[in-house]
Amino acid sequence: MSDAPGSDPREHAWGKGLYPRPTSEGRSRNMRANRRSDTKPEVALRSALHALGYRYRKDLRVDLPGGARVRPDIVFTARKVAVFVDGCFWHVCPEHGRQPTTNEWYWTPKLRRNMERDRQANAALRGAGWRVVRLWEHESLPEAVDAVVRAVGPASAECKFEGTGED
């Protein structure tokens, strides 16, 4: 195994045991298709909120006092509301999350770290005066929209110009 430029970094990581080899090419394609942002539930929620007149920032890094950095899926900066649309597998949904049965040595600690990062992000945001809305990907669109609207308040002229630089 060579560390020379052009060598496959995945081969290097697999060789060092940093993460497991995929069980098949199909599984590998499936995992590569997972998105960090712009997931279907997130896009549907953003579209519904936009249609109601809400304006927001998407995937905006929020730098908080104390050095914490958080990247919510949807951010209402003026109203200090951070919205996360969490995937059931990646964030261990109590209803749909499941323990992996293959490569548990890798997945169990990874999923625990995701849960801990979520807790830390919530605490940091709330400590800085933000409201946090966490939604599961399986929640119905009307329920998700309702949760965000309750946290943000009515769409107003202030909300309509959110994040555009216009006041």
Side-chain angles (χ1 to χ4, degrees), residues 10-151:
R10 290 178 298 173
E11 286 289 341
H12 180 71
W14 293 330
K16 291 181 83 174
L18 299 176
Y19 62 92
R21 288 185 180 275
T23 54
S24 69
E25 182 53 36
R27 171 60 57 200
S28 184
R29 272 193 313 274
N30 178 282
M31 295 305 285
R32 279 195 306 265
N34 286 313
R35 313 181 114 212
R36 186 184 66 77
S37 64
D38 295 333
T39 62
K40 288 179 183 180
E42 181 187 330
V43 170
L45 177 60
R46 288 196 324 246
S47 295
L49 291 169
H50 193 274
L52 291 173
Y54 289 93
R55 301 300 178 258
Y56 46 79
R57 303 288 300 269
K58 71 172 200 147
D59 197 36
L60 175 73
R61 188 178 87 185
V62 178
D63 295 326
L64 300 168
R69 295 184 305 201
V70 181
R71 191 176 286 274
D73 298 313
I74 301 170
V75 183
F76 295 89
T77 54
R79 297 184 187 202
K80 292 180 92 171
V81 176
V83 180
F84 297 87
V85 182
D86 292 337
C88 290
F89 173 75
W90 299 104
H91 298 268
V92 192
C93 167
E95 192 173 330
H96 298 107
R98 63 175 188 81
Q99 275 295 20
T101 55
T102 305
N103 297 315
E104 301 89 8
W105 63 269
Y106 174 77
W107 287 109
T108 299
K110 177 170 183 50
L111 297 176
R112 280 195 192 123
R113 286 190 309 269
N114 289 352
M115 292 170 53
E116 182 56 30
R117 187 179 57 239
D118 292 344
R119 281 192 285 276
Q120 289 173 352
N122 291 350
L125 284 162
R126 288 185 179 124
W130 285 71
R131 281 172 284 176
V132 177
V133 178
R134 285 231 176 234
L135 303 166
W136 291 109
E137 68 178 341
H138 68 262
E139 290 186 55
S140 74
L141 184 57
E143 288 173 351
V145 168
D146 186 52
V148 174
V149 168
R150 280 194 317 270

